[in-house]
Amino acid sequence: MAWWTVAVRVSDHPVALVLLAAFGGGVTAPSANRFGQVSPTTAHDVRAELGDAVGFVLDGGPC
């Protein structure tokens, strides 16, 4: 029998809450960094790390 672990994170960031309310549901997304790399804290860092591999970055300010 296979067992799976699922982590759920609920943000209290105002931009995320508006996005989720407008969307009317949840969002499934990976982390904004490559495996083994430091997690970015700004939209600029995300772009520098992932470049054109990501079509859109929603900038809600540093975190």
Side-chain angles (χ1 to χ4, degrees), residues 23-46:
F23 179 70
V27 174
T28 303
S31 298
N33 61 305
R34 299 196 188 280
F35 180 78
Q37 300 299 313
V38 176
S39 294
T41 57
T42 67
H44 178 268
D45 293 342
V46 173

Side-chain angles (χ1 to χ4, degrees), residues 11-22 58-61:
S11 177
D12 67 350
H13 191 285
V15 173
L17 294 175
V18 169
L19 175 67
L20 293 171
L58 177 63
D59 188 349

